[in-house]
Amino acid sequence: MNAPAAPAAPAAPLRERRHPRIHAPRLHPSASWVVPLVLGVVFGGWAIFIDHNQGSSLLAAGILGLVAAVVVGAVCYAVGRVQSPLMPELRAALYGTVLGCALGFLYSVSGASVYRASGVGLGVGLAMTAMAYYVFHMRAEDAED
């Protein structure tokens, strides 16, 4: 009655569903200083625009924008120099911290309260950390393949 059954045919291997990969091209060596320079100029110009629209004189807004541009450019250059040996988690946290602080500062220049600017900076920083974490881990999987 219970005769042995014929061996079942091996099941076809399931195809893994892979997420699309982000392939970042190798950057030219001058990008190590050009990218922070451009980010600093854009950030400083944005700070000038916001501060001048809030009623500051053009000279005061220009000084604020110049200081902001130098600080953001220097921080971005420093992040670019130290990011390679860092773990992806720390690198993502570093990117999130820089963006959160920068946008929180710009929001505070626009006349918002310190608490609201801190909240916006924290929210943007956490969102950037999550996105950077995802991107860095996707690139780490590419390197393993």
Side-chain angles (χ1 to χ4, degrees), residues 26-128:
R26 291 285 171 203
L27 297 176
H28 194 273
S30 65
S32 69
W33 61 270
V34 171
V35 171
L37 179 71
V38 170
L39 287 173
V41 167
V42 169
F43 189 83
W46 195 0
I48 290 171
F49 176 76
I50 291 172
D51 196 35
H52 187 62
N53 279 344
Q54 289 297 336
S56 295
S57 68
L58 190 56
L59 180 64
I63 291 171
L64 176 76
L66 179 65
V67 170
V70 168
V71 168
V72 166
V75 168
C76 289
Y77 181 77
V79 167
R81 300 299 288 179
V82 301
Q83 74 176 348
S84 296
L86 294 178
M87 296 182 329
E89 295 84 6
L90 289 176
R91 202 174 344 156
L94 190 61
Y95 276 38
T97 301
V98 169
L99 184 68
C101 289
L103 289 185
F105 168 74
L106 284 179
Y107 195 64
S108 72
V109 169
S110 71
S113 71
V114 173
Y115 295 119
R116 189 168 184 125
S118 298
V120 167
L122 181 64
V124 169
L126 289 175
M128 178 63 185

